[in-house]
Amino acid sequence: PNVRIQGVNENYIFLKDLNVEYGRNFSTLEIQYGSKVAIIGSKVASSLSDNPNMVNEEISFKGAKFRVIGVLKEKGQLAEDNFDNMVIIPILVANQMASGRGLDYYLTVAIKDPSQMELAMGEATGIMRNIR
């Protein structure tokens, strides 16, 4: 009951400074087409199997089956985020599984060059206005 399932894109791992210990990150195509693949936290992996490398194993939740493509390196709990007790899936699949229930969306933006902050903020504002 304390495992969080989160829909993300392929940039999430980099933005949250997470490391994949076994397997790999999502591909752009898996995100774009909503493939039923998952990256799981280290505690989730250890609670499901004695083998911490669960790559290519199948897990199921909320009536759907997912193939594990990655296991995150243990990170510990940071504020309200417990990445070790998390399952991350492509955002398109998460939206489909919600079946009309209200979802919370969070947007995280990062830039490589801090001198470009103003430009990035303007660009993000314009994109969000289009979405709204």
Side-chain angles (χ1 to χ4, degrees):
N2 61 349
V3 174
R4 186 168 79 185
I5 300 166
Q6 190 161 333
V8 304
N9 68 14
E10 67 275 18
N11 298 312
Y12 181 80
I13 287 183
F14 304 113
L15 290 172
K16 295 294 185 179
D17 195 29
L18 301 172
N19 295 304
V20 177
E21 185 167 17
Y22 302 104
R24 61 177 175 81
N25 190 13
F26 298 111
S27 72
T28 303
L29 290 176
E30 288 167 335
I31 297 295
Q32 183 178 357
Y33 292 109
S35 300
K36 291 207 173 163
V37 292
I39 299 173
I40 61 176
S42 60
K43 281 188 181 178
V44 174
S46 65
S47 69
L48 293 174
S49 173
D50 291 335
N51 179 10
N53 182 357
M54 290 193 57
V55 174
N56 290 322
E57 297 290 330
E58 192 173 84
I59 61 172
S60 63
F61 51 88
K62 301 225 178 242
K65 293 181 180 180
F66 289 79
R67 182 174 53 88
V68 174
I69 61 166
V71 178
L72 296 174
K73 189 172 186 174
E74 186 175 349
K75 182 150 185 144
Q77 187 165 347
L78 302 170
E80 68 275 350
D81 290 327
N82 186 350
F83 299 106
D84 298 339
N85 231 14
M86 183 183 284
V87 175
I88 56 178
I89 60 176
I91 191 163
L92 186 61
V93 178
N95 284 335
Q96 292 166 348
M97 291 179 73
S99 343
R101 290 187 300 251
L103 296 175
D104 293 329
Y105 289 92
Y106 298 93
L107 179 67
T108 303
V109 179
I111 59 172
K112 293 180 182 176
D113 182 1
S115 70
Q116 299 293 313
M117 181 68 75
E118 291 296 320
L119 177 65
M121 287 174 59
E123 203 173 310
T125 301
I127 291 169
M128 293 308 292
R129 282 186 182 142
N130 285 337
I131 293 170
R132 190 170 32 128

